[in-house]
Amino acid sequence: MAFDLIKLLVDVFDPQPDEVVVVACDLPRRQEDDTPEWTDRRAMAADWRQAMADLGRARGFSTLPLLTYPATGANNSELPATGNLEGREVELAPAILQSTLALFLTQYSATAPLDGLTREKPDFRAASMPGLARCMQDTALAADYREVARRCAVLTEALRGADTVEVRFSTGDQCRFDIRFRHPEADDGFLPRDKQGDRIINLPSGETFIVPYEGERPDEPSRTAGILPVQIGADLARLRVEANRVVAVEGDGELVARLTMVFAADPARRNVAEVAFGCNDRARVWGNVLEDEKAGFHWAYGRSDHLGGTVGVAAFSSPAMVVHQDIVYAAGNPIQVLEASVHRDGQVLTVMHGGEYVIF
């Protein structure tokens, strides 16, 4: 069946009469930074904006001209002060908040700053699509989102009220994530105007996530601890975690040196910011984090406030140092999850075994 963009927009957002929609994309600051994929994503943004305009004529809502802004250069950094709307410079945040629905097809994730904007205006919601690629129209964007939502709900119920997630990797390493005092959230692919709770999603969607306890309570340290393996090509690094912080990068090779520099650049990057289960059964792993993370287990380091944690922009030495970076272990990655389990009051629920979900 051919991909139907209009159907996706209706199924996911259900735009209502009198709404205002804005579609946005980021622009490379230097010509040499541009890529064919980024160029095509800007063309997709124009296509999605036109589809929204066509839908709006039938449904009675309006769509603003395409909004562009200079790329931030890092995932989940704060947005620049100004952008461009129909050939004129505008203050970016007020331009976005003219709308009730924003769709961001970007190179660098705008999820965190968009989440902040949803807190400023009750009648505003947003979809963040960093790294969106046209090929996803045949994979994760084409999923049965009723099934995606069902899986997200199962995982949410498994995590609600639990105290620990334990994960054992194919490298033999294991890590325990402390999820006390936290609430799981589902990115299930539905964002209607009247949605309660979190009013921002990714597209493609399909994950349930939770922020590990970060030790912010007096005399109550985080129990997140263990080894988190990271592999690129033949290079394997092991991140030693204590009290929800990456305290050491162990191993040899270029990857170890690179990650050591990443964490040395700013202490806030050492924060374990997310633990999540991607559950979109049409998602494939091909090196694109937006889709890869929807295919299986992942965790992230750095910023967490946009997901319900405590580490925000102020925790970093400067806005330029802000990052939220996912590490994925779905099928197709060099490292697999041998077993993942959720612990609650001494009871153990197995979520994954041998790289596959056993909870659905």
Side-chain angles (χ1 to χ4, degrees):
M1 182 181 297
F3 176 70
D4 187 336
L5 177 55
I6 294 289
K7 182 179 185 303
L8 178 73
L9 297 176
V10 171
D11 288 350
V12 175
F13 304 110
D14 190 23
Q16 298 298 300
D18 84 0
E19 287 212 68
V20 179
V21 177
V22 65
V23 178
C25 61
D26 55 356
L27 305 178
R29 291 178 180 265
R30 305 180 305 169
Q31 185 174 353
E32 56 266 36
D33 293 334
D34 205 0
T35 64
E37 294 79 14
W38 197 347
T39 300
D40 189 49
R41 190 176 310 112
R42 298 197 294 275
M44 289 181 70
D47 293 343
W48 283 50
R49 188 260 160 206
Q50 186 60 55
M52 270 298 190
D54 294 343
L55 182 60
R57 281 191 289 273
R59 285 198 156 205
F61 65 85
S62 61
T63 303
L64 297 175
L66 186 66
L67 177 64
T68 63
Y69 64 90
T72 62
N75 289 326
N76 293 297
S77 288
E78 292 300 279
L79 295 173
T82 62
N84 190 284
L85 189 67
E86 204 171 24
R88 59 187 176 87
E89 186 175 78
V90 294
E91 292 185 59
L92 191 56
I96 297 167
L97 290 176
Q98 291 181 59
S99 72
T100 57
L101 171 62
L103 280 61
F104 271 56
L105 289 75
T106 57
Q107 177 75 2
Y108 297 100
S109 177
T111 303
L114 286 172
D115 179 68
L117 292 177
T118 67
R119 301 171 197 274
E120 293 186 23
K121 179 180 175 182
D123 189 16
F124 174 74
R125 63 200 191 281
S128 178
M129 294 169 265
L132 188 73
R134 202 173 294 273
C135 61
M136 294 178 190
Q137 296 176 165
D138 298 320
T139 57
L141 283 174
D144 178 352
Y145 274 92
R146 290 169 298 182
E147 173 62 14
V148 170
R150 185 190 72 82
R151 291 180 172 213
C152 285
V154 170
L155 289 164
T156 300
E157 189 58 32
L159 291 172
R160 184 177 289 118
D163 50 68
T164 308
V165 173
E166 291 193 0
V167 181
R168 185 163 54 91
F169 300 95
S170 56
T171 55
D173 303 302
Q174 56 187 17
C175 189
R176 178 180 67 249
F177 299 90
D178 182 356
I179 59 171
R180 295 174 300 155
F181 319 119
R182 294 292 195 253
H183 302 284
E185 298 281 354
D187 186 359
D188 60 6
F190 290 101
L191 193 63
R193 191 177 193 179
D194 59 355
K195 183 177 181 179
Q196 299 300 304
D198 206 10
R199 297 193 309 282
I200 185 164
I201 63 170
N202 278 160
L203 272 180
S205 301
E207 67 171 302
T208 292
F209 59 88
I210 193 167
V211 176
Y213 170 57
E214 294 161 306
E216 67 274 9
R217 297 186 174 208
D219 303 317
E220 187 71 65
S222 175
R223 300 172 184 168
T224 301
I227 300 292
L228 290 167
V230 181
Q231 185 170 345
I232 298 179
D235 276 359
L236 175 64
R238 287 181 163 91
L239 310 184
R240 182 169 297 278
V241 176
E242 297 175 5
N244 207 66
R245 308 273 293 178
V246 177
V247 297
V249 183
E250 300 173 348
D252 299 301
E254 181 182 340
L255 178 59
V256 172
R258 189 190 323 160
L259 287 172
T260 298
M261 291 178 61
V262 166
F263 294 117
D266 196 299
R269 293 181 172 183
R270 297 180 179 273
N271 181 57
V272 179
E274 177 187 12
V275 57
F277 294 94
C279 56
N280 184 320
D281 62 346
R282 292 292 300 272
R284 68 185 180 100
V285 172
W286 56 287
N288 181 300
V289 172
L290 178 68
E291 184 165 14
D292 290 1
E293 70 176 6
K294 306 308 186 302
F297 177 80
H298 54 283
W299 68 277
Y301 60 81
R303 184 176 185 175
S304 67
D305 62 332
H306 60 300
L307 302 180
T310 63
V311 176
V313 175
F316 293 81
S317 58
S318 77
M321 290 290 104
V322 176
V323 69
H324 174 93
Q325 183 61 53
D326 294 282
I327 308 294
V328 183
Y329 303 89
N333 290 100
I335 300 173
Q336 299 295 301
V337 171
L338 291 186
E339 186 155 321
S341 57
V342 175
H343 299 243
R344 179 191 291 104
D345 300 328
Q347 301 296 310
V348 179
L349 174 65
T350 301
V351 175
M352 301 182 72
H353 182 77
E356 300 289 338
Y357 283 107
V358 294
I359 195 173
F360 302 133

